[in-house]
Amino acid sequence: MGKVGKGFQGVEEAIGKFANDPDQLTKIDVAVSLASLGKVDDSVIPAMLEALGSKEEETAKGAARILADIGAANPDKVLPGLMAAVDKGEDPLSRNSVRVLRQMKTQAMPALPRIAGLYDKVDQSTRVEITEALRAIDAKGDYAIPVMIKALGSSDSKDRHEALMGLYRFRTKVELVIDPLIGALKDPDTENQFLAVRILRGIGPQAMKAVPSLVQMTESSNSNLRIRNAAIEALSSFTPPTREVLDALDKAVKDGDMDVRLHAVGSLRRIGYLYPDQVTPLLKSGLEVASDERTKNAINSALERLKSGTGKASTGEPSKREGKQLPSG
């Protein structure tokens, strides 16, 4: 009734009749329902905090919504209680408290040490909530990055995925994230491998340390084809191109798989806008051994574009679209 009854006569009175019910859960539900109807003041905060620990999901969700609304306007009124709830390390209380803090975003920054410290004390589902919350709250990454790195060693692929998304947010701190990202190239989940490749591509020349690992991924015929192609594309971001990069793309443009060849042509074209003298011989060499029309057409088109100087140079930065959301495919 509290969820759908706002504006209807008699709803508030009907709910209020249960305010003194001997059952504690009923009392909590009454408080949440009345708050949902707009009866919100400081006196409801203790009841809402208690409701976060309810095993009734709707009750906990309602309390979380109300606390997030209060916290958005007056964070100091709810932060002490939420931090105390996090410290207890009891699910669902701690997990739901972390969710509220995540919704408060940067206003919840005082809670960062508590949230980060909770990671080793909770189950897997709550760990995912923690990595999501740290990504939303920690603007500098001081607490988030160490937890994200730890999460990359999790047995849960979703936890590792959230950790990678967190490291993507802090990708400008290359010296802190580069080694964990290179390690993630060997993640047992191919989606996480793909995400790590895309993040390294977005970092560009500052992540030159990743080149040997990416080159290895382009050469492995046992690798997932999608991962091979992503690694080939990523190499175009590491400019000026090293001999290792050029050799890898030279090999890929002559690969037995047409899809690999076409991705290699695309990477060489992007590098070639800035370094045509280094790329043109490789494209011509690939054209000499190409046996299918699609590869020939792609190489000829790339050579024509480089000759005319048309096209967009590779900058090593992700596109505007990629900057908002890393693609999954």
Side-chain angles (χ1 to χ4, degrees):
M1 289 177 70
K3 194 172 183 180
V4 301
K6 194 170 185 178
F8 288 88
Q9 187 175 2
V11 170
E12 184 179 327
E13 290 78 6
I15 294 173
K17 291 178 181 180
F18 296 93
N20 296 316
D21 192 280
D23 182 73
Q24 186 63 16
L25 178 59
T26 301
K27 289 182 179 180
I28 292 173
D29 284 335
V30 167
V32 172
S33 297
L34 290 174
S36 298
L37 292 173
K39 296 294 180 180
V40 180
D41 55 45
D42 294 357
S43 65
V44 307
I45 292 176
M48 296 304 102
L49 289 168
E50 184 177 355
L52 290 178
S54 173
K55 294 182 180 179
E56 295 294 330
E57 189 174 354
E58 287 302 315
T59 298
K61 281 184 177 180
R65 182 176 63 253
I66 292 159
L67 286 169
D69 289 342
I70 296 173
N74 299 285
D76 291 343
K77 290 184 177 181
V78 299
L79 269 175
L82 289 170
M83 289 192 289
V86 168
D87 284 342
K88 289 184 178 180
E90 301 171 358
D91 283 335
L93 176 63
S94 292
R95 179 170 62 249
N96 290 327
S97 299
V98 168
R99 287 175 178 172
V100 176
L101 291 165
R102 184 185 69 206
Q103 293 178 60
M104 292 170 62
K105 296 186 177 179
T106 54
Q107 291 178 311
M109 285 182 67
L112 282 172
R114 263 89 165 194
I115 298 172
L118 185 65
Y119 185 83
D120 290 325
K121 304 175 184 177
V122 293
D123 63 20
Q124 199 62 53
S125 62
T126 303
R127 287 182 177 182
V128 174
E129 297 282 353
I130 290 170
T131 54
E132 290 177 345
L134 291 172
R135 179 154 58 97
I137 299 168
D138 192 356
K140 296 182 179 180
D142 294 340
Y143 293 94
I145 291 175
V147 172
M148 305 297 176
I149 293 173
K150 185 182 296 184
L152 286 178
S154 169
S155 60
D156 186 87
S157 63
K158 185 178 179 181
D159 199 7
R160 300 195 304 273
H161 179 85
E162 287 302 324
L164 284 168
M165 291 301 296
L167 292 180
Y168 174 66
R169 182 186 178 188
F170 303 111
R171 63 194 180 279
T172 57
K173 298 194 173 186
V174 180
E175 71 285 356
L176 297 178
V177 304
I178 184 64
D179 287 335
L181 287 172
I182 292 173
L185 294 175
K186 296 181 179 180
D187 192 285
D189 188 306
T190 56
E191 289 300 319
N192 287 339
Q193 284 184 33
F194 181 81
L195 180 55
V197 171
R198 298 294 287 181
I199 295 172
L200 289 165
R201 179 185 178 184
I203 294 174
Q206 289 182 294
M208 196 67 76
K209 186 178 181 181
V211 165
S213 296
L214 290 168
V215 165
Q216 187 175 15
M217 296 175 83
T218 71
E219 294 176 341
S220 176
S221 58
N222 294 323
S223 295
N224 178 289
L225 181 60
R226 180 164 168 256
I227 300 298
R228 285 189 73 192
N229 289 336
I232 288 168
E233 290 182 346
L235 291 180
S236 67
S237 295
F238 298 96
T239 55
T242 63
R243 187 71 257 166
E244 187 177 16
V245 167
L246 294 173
D247 287 346
L249 294 177
D250 182 37
K251 185 176 180 180
V253 84
K254 300 168 184 173
D255 192 86
D257 188 288
M258 184 178 67
D259 205 29
V260 170
R261 295 195 298 273
L262 293 175
H263 279 81
V265 172
S267 285
L268 286 169
R269 186 186 68 240
R270 286 188 291 274
I271 296 172
Y273 292 137
L274 291 175
Y275 304 95
D277 291 343
Q278 297 184 56
V279 165
T280 299
L282 303 183
L283 289 170
K284 289 181 177 179
S285 176
L287 185 61
E288 291 175 358
V289 299
S291 58
D292 66 286
E293 290 304 312
R294 284 193 65 186
T295 302
K296 290 178 181 178
N297 290 338
I299 294 175
N300 280 322
S301 176
L303 287 169
E304 186 61 33
R305 285 177 175 271
L306 296 184
K307 183 178 178 180
S308 64
T310 60
K312 190 174 182 180
S314 171
T315 62
E317 294 296 323
S319 68
K320 186 175 182 181
R321 180 183 174 195
E322 288 173 343
K324 292 180 179 178
Q325 182 177 357
L326 281 170
S328 59

